[in-house]
Amino acid sequence: MSDMRPETETELAEIVAGLAAPVRIVGGGTRGVPGPETALHVSGLQGIELYEPGALTLVAKAGTSVSEIETALAAEGQRLAFEPMDHRGLLGTTGEQTIGGVVAANVSGPRRVQAGACRDFLLGVRYVDGTGQVIKNGGRVMKNVTGYDLVKLMAGSWGTLGVLSEVSFKVLPQPEVTETLMVAVPDVTQAVQAMSAALSSPFEVSGAAYDPAEGHVMLRIEGFTESVQYRAAQMIHVVAGFGVVTRIGAAEAMWAGVRDVAAFHGVEGDVWRISVKPTDAPEVAEALQADGLVFDWGGGLIWARVPAGTDLRSRVGSLRGHATLVRADQATRDVQPMFHPEPAPLAAITQGLRTRFDPRGLFNPGLMG
Amino acid sequence: MEMPIPNPAVLARKARVVDRLLSVLPKDAVIHEEAETRAYECDALTAYKCPPMLAVLPSTTQEVSDVLRICHEEGVPVVPRGSGTSLAGGALPTADCAILGVARMNDVLDTDYENRIIRVQSGRTNLSVTGAVEEEDFFYAPDPSSQLACAIAGNIAMNSGGAHCLKYGVTTNNLLGVTMVMMDGTVVEIGGAHLDAGGLDLLGVICGSEGQLGVVTEATLRILRKPEGARPVLIAFDDNEVAGHCVSDIIKSGILPVAIEFMDTLCIKACENFAHAGYPDCNALLIVEVEGSEAEIDSQLAKIIEIAKRHNPVELRESQSAEESAKIWLGRKSAFGAMGQMNDYMCLDGTIPVSALPLVLRRINELSEQYGLPVGNVFHAGDGNMHPLILFDANMPGDLELCEEFGAEILKLCVDVGGCLTGEHGVGVEKRDLMLHQYTAEDLEAQMAIKDVFDPVWLLNPAKVFPLSVSQDRRVAQVAAQ
Ligand SMILES: Cc1cc2nc3c(=O)[nH]c(=O)nc-3n(C[C@H](O)[C@H](O)[C@H](O)COP(=O)(O)OP(=O)(O)OC[C@H]3O[C@@H](n4cnc5c(N)ncnc54)[C@H](O)[C@@H]3O)c2cc1C
Ligand SMILES: Cc1cc2nc3c(=O)[nH]c(=O)nc-3n(C[C@H](O)[C@H](O)[C@H](O)COP(=O)(O)OP(=O)(O)OC[C@H]3O[C@@H](n4cnc5c(N)ncnc54)[C@H](O)[C@@H]3O)c2cc1C
């Protein structure tokens, strides 16, 4: 069967209802997620449907490009506060990332530590389930506890439960200014301590990352000018004991580099993304024996580069957290599942949900257990 | 309020069920005498009462697991209960059910400032979570007005919010992990100290599932460092609509206040009489609070005042002292109690897009005249979460029904302008029968499919959230299977 590219939700629903074999759901295809031959493209579902800057809400069809949304928001001085990463540099993919893909992968950047993840900003979804039925959940208001929260469930479900057709978000104003402090710290243990000190201060850090290759902790402070000046000055006192502190301004390119893991662009090897309790990071990092490491989220997120084919999960043993295989060749993918194996009772729930949402097993089979 | 007919077969097994429960719990943790079960006959939606068949008060996750296994085997419906402050009847029993109360499970298991988390047993009250970390200047952000009494268990089940959620988010945004016991007694761990749980976002579904998917026994919560300071400003208008526009402009300006609370004439008067907060005499009052250092507060409030002035407020008053701030908040937080002194009241909880505020307020006033019942409005304006309080007289025949009909009209209006039936109190039994106004049968089917996976026998709090006609087949199948 050849690839399909519906342009309306109704068309999408009809296509799904008529599917005879599994498909790979593709937004912009920038995440290079593996799957069946036949692709169901969602990028034909285009357009921002509602944007109310005064209510901080935006509703868009799932195939709308992230750049279109970011441009519309920027025109009103607003943004997607969860800072979705751009995977193209890391994965060597091309194409336009879609907002549906961002939701499906719950893609969240450095601001996760302060503002929250993609799922925290997602207010509502419409999707087509495996029988071709259109389902809605949530809406476009900030507070909504009416029935179960399928909005969160769909975020990060990687297209395994349904095909998103529309998503609505809470957006936030862009800050007046951004200031970054760079702290020279020689090792991971001290870096995590410095980031913990910063994140446990009242001075509202919106990014806390560590690049061990450079020996830099990076701390970001955003807001109105006077407030940022004040908080940056206070923050220098908080972290001064850990190493020399330098103020480097907004450092937008550097934060984009942290977000997109620029350190591993064009460098050989598998890339893993490991989520841990921040203070566990030094020990886990040591066990990884990686060729390259980047720490974000105050140490809670470790990006690791290892030789192709490495069984990274076996190196960390009983990890309290999880490891996702983000970049690898097919040979590695054949033996290493992308997502961390779940304990039996949770795996049974996951399987049960998939069977309910997609009884014919059409969507991205093989992904997520 | 229609509730399912109690299952006679279950009632007939009561003695055996009690015996089995006594084999796994201490004697004082199994309550089955009629005089004593009455203590659990309702939650804060007191219009509806029904004593349960029995109540159990386990002290450990293992005991919860034993209880659920036994109830599962005996086909006994289980209604989980925290502190019973639900305003939606979420903890309302049926005559054939076991109330599973977690009130005895209130320990702090771990406080970890470096990772900014606390792990507690779920029966711990909301305020005492903050109490446990206050010494180190930390706090737990979601702050329902009922925080002195309500338990983390209920907060998770209802995904509760509070006045300061505009900045910090609601329960689901501050919950990192749970230990939960499934209906068959299986214990599962979801999430933990790391920021995002792996796999599907099950934590996201459990939060807000109103005790229908499992019994939460422990929770890992995000704690935050307290801001250096906070200060509210009172902005008084003679017109609701203008106040609504002012809210929108503040939000758009880029300032993120921690709270923007709104009160109308009736509520202002009631709160003033009750708490003597010194509120100005006006038709619409905003309480806007910002946080930070003294200088940061000054500069943010200056910006807010500048915006407010464009809307010609009748009064603008910055709090001058910590005592004054406390008084201002005491007034707001006692709004329900204050209205309760005037008469019986029913508290609604719909959310609307902020832009629809003027329209909805106008329509509520029209309906109020039509139904002849007064309404006070007090709500979280920053996120559009309204709390219309309808006054009625419970002793007057027909008044409750009239009030419910009026309430239903308001909630439908919230949905029709692009909002929802409930922003933080949950569906429970109260809004159950309105669900089809917001969702299609297929939408509800998708939600019920989740319960099918977690609780295939539909024994956990089965008569809530979904209209009884919609959940009928599933519940009947359960009874028939016995
Ligand atoms: C192997 C791999 C691992 C990754 N791991 C992470 C990670 O851990 N964290 C992170 O933040 N990012 C991760 N990413 C990146 C993330 O997938 C992308 O940032 C984002 O999804 C790009 O948008 P897109 O439109 O190009 O998506 P695509 O690459 O087209 O799709 C991404 C995923 O979303 C699904 N999808 C796309 N559109 C829809 C839709 N409308 N409805 C339902 N499902 C849809 C796809 O089936 C696919 O599973 C990873 C990418 C890959 C390839
Ligand atoms: C005066 C007053 C003010 C209020 N203000 C607010 C407010 O500002 N914001 C707000 O959001 N709410 C508010 N509420 C509503 C109420 O306090 C919240 O819904 C609260 O979270 C309920 O907690 P609880 O422990 O009392 O739960 P309960 O009333 O005991 O139960 C609530 C629900 O949780 C389920 N449940 C209880 N324990 C468990 C468990 N261990 N596992 C699984 N499910 C469980 C129950 O089955 C039920 O469905 C207010 C209530 C009152 C009376």
Side-chain angles (χ1 to χ4, degrees):
Chain A
M1 204 166 165
S2 62
D3 290 356
M4 292 152 289
R5 193 173 182 278
E7 298 198 339
T8 64
E9 185 183 75
T10 313
E11 220 181 307
L12 170 66
E14 279 164 9
I15 289 175
V16 171
L19 282 178
V23 288
R24 181 166 48 96
I25 303 166
V26 183
T30 67
R31 327 279 163 173
V33 181
E37 281 283 290
T38 315
L40 172 55
H41 290 274
V42 193
S43 50
L45 297 170
Q46 279 284 338
I48 295 171
E49 292 178 276
L50 176 139
Y51 175 29
E52 278 187 22
L56 305 177
T57 34
L58 178 134
V59 184
K61 293 198 182 129
T64 313
S65 72
V66 174
S67 61
E68 180 181 338
I69 288 171
E70 288 183 335
T71 306
L73 291 172
E76 293 285 342
Q78 299 186 338
R79 66 179 178 186
L80 295 172
F82 56 91
E83 214 175 3
M85 103 180 251
D86 183 341
H87 285 80
R88 288 173 290 193
L90 182 64
L91 303 175
T93 51
T94 54
E96 275 291 324
Q97 48 174 342
T98 62
I99 195 67
V102 165
V103 170
N106 187 26
V107 182
S108 320
R111 208 173 285 108
R112 170 78 180 90
V113 282
Q114 183 209 28
C118 173
R119 53 94 92 175
D120 295 301
F121 287 87
L122 191 65
L123 302 176
V125 292
R126 293 176 66 88
Y127 65 92
V128 174
D129 74 8
T131 68
Q133 186 70 53
V134 178
I135 305 292
K136 73 162 182 303
N137 193 264
R140 63 179 177 100
V141 287
M142 309 272 176
K143 278 169 84 180
N144 188 345
V145 297
T146 321
Y148 295 170
D149 193 345
L150 304 195
V151 174
K152 302 238 166 19
L153 184 64
M154 293 309 287
S157 63
W158 290 84
T160 62
L161 298 178
V163 189
L164 293 161
S165 51
E166 184 189 285
V167 289
S168 56
F169 283 103
K170 171 183 179 177
V171 300
L172 283 180
Q174 284 175 359
E176 200 170 82
V177 291
T178 300
E179 179 68 83
T180 301
L181 302 181
M182 201 135 89
V183 195
V185 181
D187 69 56
V188 185
T189 306
Q190 287 180 57
V192 170
Q193 284 168 0
M195 292 190 283
S196 285
L199 288 163
S200 304
S201 78
F203 308 118
E204 298 195 22
V205 178
S206 73
Y210 178 59
D211 179 349
E214 302 281 337
H216 288 153
V217 162
M218 295 157 264
L219 301 169
R220 182 171 61 184
I221 296 175
E222 299 173 298
F224 288 107
T225 309
E226 317 91 67
S227 164
V228 169
Q229 292 310 329
Y230 168 77
R231 286 186 285 140
Q234 293 298 313
M235 187 56 73
I236 290 174
H237 294 305
V238 173
V239 294
F242 294 95
V244 178
V245 187
T246 326
R247 290 174 75 142
I248 58 168
E252 273 166 30
M254 198 184 73
W255 285 107
V258 172
R259 184 192 69 188
D260 301 341
V261 209
F264 300 167
H265 291 192
V267 190
E268 294 265 305
D270 292 349
V271 174
W272 290 79
R273 185 181 175 279
I274 302 132
S275 180
V276 293
K277 177 162 91 175
T279 52
D280 284 351
E283 198 189 324
V284 171
E286 174 85 30
L288 293 175
Q289 303 161 40
D291 296 335
L293 288 166
V294 176
F295 299 83
D296 196 356
W297 299 356
L301 174 63
I302 307 173
W303 290 94
R305 185 169 55 81
V306 291
T310 304
D311 180 4
L312 178 129
R313 290 189 183 107
S314 73
R315 290 189 177 170
V316 288
S318 60
L319 176 71
R320 281 177 303 169
H322 56 96
T324 308
L325 179 55
V326 176
R327 186 178 80 186
D329 57 20
Q330 196 51 50
T332 308
R333 290 206 177 278
D334 287 344
V335 290
Q336 293 291 339
M338 179 167 162
F339 296 99
H340 211 80
E342 291 179 294
L346 294 187
I349 294 173
T350 299
Q351 203 44 53
L353 291 173
R354 277 188 87 153
T355 309
R356 293 279 169 170
F357 279 65
D358 176 20
R360 294 182 293 158
L362 296 170
F363 300 148
N364 290 349
L367 208 59
M368 290 201 113
Chain B
M1 182 66 52
E2 191 195 345
M3 287 301 271
I5 298 161
N7 183 348
V10 169
L11 295 174
R13 282 197 287 276
K14 176 170 173 180
R16 187 174 82 198
V17 174
V18 168
D19 277 351
R20 288 194 68 187
L21 290 170
L22 282 169
S23 74
V24 297
L25 292 179
K27 197 159 179 297
D28 70 348
V30 183
I31 292 150
H32 54 92
E33 302 293 351
E34 234 175 271
E36 293 169 30
T37 54
R38 216 161 264 293
Y40 301 93
E41 68 184 358
C42 68
D43 53 26
L45 183 70
T46 51
Y48 301 101
K49 298 190 164 108
C50 171
M53 178 168 84
L54 56 92
V56 288
L57 300 171
S59 299
T60 63
T61 298
Q62 184 56 50
E63 286 182 359
V64 171
S65 168
D66 292 339
V67 166
L68 287 176
R69 183 176 38 78
I70 291 167
C71 289
H72 186 243
E73 285 165 9
E74 299 285 349
V76 179
V78 173
V79 176
R81 181 177 168 109
S83 303
T85 67
S86 169
L87 289 166
L92 176 70
T94 49
D96 57 359
C97 89
I99 285 280
L100 192 167
V102 291
R104 288 189 183 174
M105 303 179 65
N106 50 24
D107 286 342
V108 172
L109 303 169
D110 183 26
T111 36
D112 179 345
Y113 298 106
E114 245 184 311
N115 291 300
R116 302 164 298 283
I117 51 173
I118 183 167
R119 186 149 177 97
V120 297
Q121 287 185 314
S122 66
R124 194 168 181 89
T125 62
N126 174 295
L127 195 60
S128 71
V129 172
T130 290
V133 295
E134 224 162 18
E135 221 166 84
E136 297 287 329
D137 267 345
F138 277 75
F139 73 112
Y140 173 62
D143 61 338
S145 305
S146 52
Q147 68 190 141
L148 193 61
C150 66
I152 291 300
N155 292 176
I156 293 171
M158 292 313 200
N159 188 15
S160 302
H164 291 76
C165 289
L166 185 58
K167 177 168 178 191
Y168 296 113
V170 293
T171 304
T172 192
N173 312 111
N174 293 279
L175 176 67
L176 294 176
V178 293
T179 299
M180 186 177 84
V181 188
M182 315 262 286
M183 188 62 216
D184 65 3
T186 309
V187 179
V188 292
E189 289 289 340
I190 300 174
H194 46 292
L195 267 185
D196 52 348
L200 292 176
D201 191 352
L202 301 179
L203 200 57
V205 196
I206 287 160
C207 192
S209 63
E210 306 205 8
Q212 292 195 307
L213 302 185
V215 175
V216 173
T217 57
E218 294 178 13
T220 304
L221 308 168
R222 189 167 76 123
I223 51 172
L224 299 171
R225 180 66 182 269
K226 278 196 177 155
E228 288 178 277
R231 200 190 311 152
V233 58
L234 292 176
I235 314 173
F237 294 97
D238 52 18
D239 185 274
N240 280 338
E241 279 183 46
V242 181
H245 291 304
C246 183
V247 170
S248 200
D249 283 355
I250 292 172
I251 290 176
K252 222 181 127 178
S253 72
I255 306 165
L256 190 61
V258 269
I260 306 182
E261 298 289 301
F262 182 114
M263 279 191 246
D264 71 1
T265 323
L266 189 59
C267 273
I268 298 166
K269 294 224 166 79
C271 292
E272 185 56 35
N273 289 339
F274 189 84
H276 310 290
Y279 292 152
D281 184 15
C282 61
N283 290 325
L285 184 65
L286 298 179
I287 305 173
V288 184
E289 179 157 279
V290 296
E291 291 179 346
S293 66
E294 280 299 309
E296 286 179 285
I297 291 174
D298 286 342
S299 82
Q300 288 182 78
L301 286 185
K303 287 191 171 76
I304 289 168
I305 288 170
E306 189 191 312
I307 293 167
K309 278 189 175 154
R310 282 187 240 140
H311 296 276
N312 299 318
V314 294
E315 192 169 336
L316 263 169
R317 194 195 304 160
E318 259 182 74
S319 165
Q320 301 299 331
S321 65
E323 298 82 69
E324 191 176 349
S325 302
K327 246 180 166 181
I328 288 172
W329 277 111
L330 180 67
R332 164 61 187 90
K333 291 209 170 184
S334 49
F336 294 2
M339 293 290 283
Q341 286 209 328
M342 296 173 67
N343 213 332
D344 298 304
Y345 70 87
M346 180 168 137
C347 171
L348 305 178
D349 174 45
T351 308
I352 57 168
V354 178
S355 51
L357 210 53
L359 170 79
V360 171
L361 287 172
R362 202 177 327 136
R363 194 69 198 110
I364 289 177
N365 281 335
E366 287 167 13
L367 286 166
S368 167
E369 286 190 9
Q370 193 181 317
Y371 280 89
L373 295 174
V375 182
N377 278 293
V378 48
F379 56 93
H380 315 302
D383 40 34
N385 186 194
M386 308 193 67
H387 290 317
L389 298 163
I390 308 178
L391 296 180
F392 71 103
D393 183 353
N395 294 323
M396 183 115 102
D399 235 29
L400 173 65
E401 290 72 20
L402 192 67
C403 174
E404 286 183 331
E405 205 181 300
F406 178 15
E409 285 303 314
I410 294 179
L411 293 182
K412 286 182 190 168
L413 172 65
C414 290
V415 174
D416 295 343
V417 298
C420 64
L421 297 172
T422 170
E424 58 179 18
H425 294 169
V427 178
V429 290
E430 193 206 13
K431 280 148 286 200
R432 194 183 64 187
D433 298 320
L434 289 172
M435 285 291 271
L436 281 166
H437 194 79
Q438 182 169 339
Y439 288 118
T440 64
E442 290 77 18
D443 295 338
L444 294 183
E445 185 62 34
Q447 296 181 27
M448 290 190 299
I450 293 184
K451 183 161 171 64
D452 293 341
V453 172
F454 282 84
D455 174 26
V457 290
W458 275 66
L459 281 172
L460 268 171
N461 218 2
K464 312 289 166 66
V465 183
F466 306 105
L468 289 184
S469 59
V470 170
S471 63
Q472 164 96 355
D473 291 352
R474 287 167 157 96
R475 288 180 295 103
V476 169
Q478 186 284 118
V479 173
Q482 291 177 32

